[in-house]
Amino acid sequence: MTKTTSIHAIARAGLMAAALLFSGAAQAADAPPSPVGADGSVTLPLAPGSLVLPFSSYASPEARDWFKRYADVHAPPITDVPASRAFYDRMNTDRADRLRALYPVTVTDQTMGGVPTQVVVPAQGVAVADRVLINLHGGAFLWGAGAGGLVEAVPVAALSKIKVVTVDYRQGPEHRFPAASEDVAAVYKDLLKTYKPWNIGIYGCSAGGILTGEAVAWFQTHGLPRPGAIGIFCAGVLDGGGDSQAWSALYGGQLPGPGLRLVDLPYFQGANAQDPLVLPGVAPAVLAKFPPTLLITGTRDFMLSDTLRSQDLLERAGARTELHVWDGMVHSFFSDPELPEARAAYDVMARFFTRELGRPNDR
């Protein structure tokens, strides 16, 4: 959220007109025209005043303080890739350090299938030696390698007591689709030399969640066995649409505008949005072969609608899903471990993979 001047200001008269419309009240002949357009969009005029969006009464005090603390933190524009990489690397390095203080692990650099990875092992040792998780970091397919992967891998490894391999997959603008899918498949094939497929889980947040779905579709197309379970967090198997693209902007102190679509990212330049290897959600037959899938999001996440729609499509296709939505939480809310909601999300992730891996009879 920026300063309050950036959240200006839905007119009181506009809100009254909308209330009358949606209550079914008859409009007088001289009433203003309906705010609802032919395409279903609602237009409310701006005027002096303020629109106040209260913080969720269900969110924790720590989450409220976190939201206030980050209100004036402004990231570089996504078009400035070097600045964005430096900005998020600093942020993620700080997060990873705080996480490692709370969740002791050992981290080792290792190349798998020709792809650089970091292997994260709980300090107290693994509970079951024949299980492993693959983490795919977030970062708009532009940044997030290294520290960003540790932010997602450290708490899950420590709580599940399962080894996590976080993958430094190729990203844009230097590389384009399907480079990242190829890298995930290379790491997966390397792990299949040691682990049964039903003992391998894959998960990621944001871009990493998208890539998780793409990887499962890629495995199907290229004759690889499906993994035991996957986690798609703050993302989905579609192109990023729905109400949350517009509504979440208000929580960020901005007026709604055109949302960023997946195929607008440099990594997907030239990719076909109707290709299930890009967007698995366009192909029910592909979704039908997905393993058990954990979906996590928050009510202020701009990808909320995509996550909810993806869960619906997966269920309709016959895949088993588990959905968790935290009220008041923003995109990638569990990246900061001080939030009770973040710790609750870590517990959900650990329980899911502990329960779902190692079940060959279900495959």
Side-chain angles (χ1 to χ4, degrees):
M1 181 177 290
T2 58
K3 298 185 183 299
T4 54
T5 52
S6 68
I7 206 167
H8 278 179
I10 306 301
R12 188 183 304 272
L15 289 172
M16 291 176 64
L20 284 172
L21 174 73
F22 290 114
S23 67
Q27 293 192 13
D30 59 350
S34 168
V36 180
D39 62 353
S41 61
V42 178
T43 301
L44 298 176
L46 297 178
S50 297
L51 171 65
V52 178
L53 300 172
F55 195 75
S56 169
S57 61
Y58 295 126
S60 67
E62 293 90 342
R64 180 195 59 224
D65 293 343
W66 177 91
F67 191 70
K68 291 163 58 179
R69 187 168 66 252
Y70 277 83
D72 292 321
V73 175
H74 301 290
I78 194 172
T79 51
D80 190 341
V81 176
S84 293
R85 286 175 174 170
F87 173 86
Y88 286 108
D89 187 63
R90 289 193 300 270
M91 178 179 287
N92 287 327
T93 297
D94 175 65
R95 288 167 163 168
D97 289 343
R98 284 149 47 206
L99 278 158
R100 294 184 70 173
L102 294 170
Y103 302 100
V105 297
T106 61
V107 180
T108 305
D109 294 334
Q110 186 173 341
T111 298
M112 295 187 182
V115 179
T117 73
Q118 290 179 294
V119 179
V120 182
V121 178
Q124 68 272 37
V126 297
V128 183
D130 64 352
R131 297 183 184 184
V132 67
L133 294 171
I134 298 173
N135 166 250
L136 307 176
H137 65 78
F141 291 92
L142 292 167
W143 59 78
L150 293 180
V151 168
E152 300 178 23
V154 166
V156 177
L159 291 172
S160 67
K161 297 184 180 179
I162 300 174
K163 180 169 71 175
V164 178
V165 176
T166 183
V167 181
D168 182 7
Y169 56 85
R170 286 173 290 171
Q171 304 186 89
E174 297 87 353
H175 305 281
R176 295 181 185 172
F177 175 85
S181 297
E182 293 171 342
D183 288 348
V184 178
V187 172
Y188 187 57
K189 285 190 285 188
D190 193 277
L191 290 171
L192 284 171
K193 298 174 184 177
T194 306
Y195 299 91
K196 301 295 184 183
W198 52 81
N199 284 335
I200 303 175
I202 307 176
Y203 72 98
C205 173
S206 193
I210 293 166
L211 181 55
T212 295
E214 291 179 330
V216 174
W218 186 270
F219 298 168
Q220 290 181 28
T221 302
H222 292 80
L224 294 172
R226 76 176 187 176
I230 62 172
I232 298 177
F233 309 148
C234 302
V237 294
L238 296 165
D239 197 18
D243 281 351
S244 63
Q245 283 278 352
W247 184 246
S248 63
L250 296 176
Y251 287 117
Q254 304 294 327
L255 293 175
L260 179 67
R261 308 306 290 257
L262 183 67
V263 293
D264 294 331
L265 296 173
Y267 172 75
F268 290 100
Q269 185 175 348
N272 179 5
Q274 297 305 308
D275 184 350
L277 296 180
V278 178
L279 299 175
V282 303
V286 171
L287 298 183
K289 298 177 183 178
F290 266 48
T293 302
L294 173 66
L295 299 109
I296 288 175
T297 187
T299 58
R300 298 189 176 197
D301 186 353
F302 68 92
M303 291 293 286
L304 167 66
S305 294
D306 202 68
T307 303
L308 298 181
R309 179 60 174 160
S310 296
Q311 191 266 347
D312 179 54
L313 291 174
L314 284 161
E315 288 278 354
R316 288 171 181 263
R320 284 201 294 120
T321 67
E322 182 177 319
L323 171 67
H324 292 260
V325 184
W326 272 269
D327 203 67
M329 296 300 102
V330 299
H331 191 68
S332 189
F333 66 90
F334 46 79
S335 293
D336 288 89
E338 291 77 18
L339 275 63
E341 292 86 350
R343 296 193 294 273
Y346 305 151
D347 287 338
V348 166
M349 297 173 196
R351 287 198 305 268
F352 176 80
F353 285 116
T354 298
R355 182 185 72 236
E356 294 296 338
L357 295 185
R359 299 170 64 178
N361 293 333
D362 290 349
R363 311 304 160 200

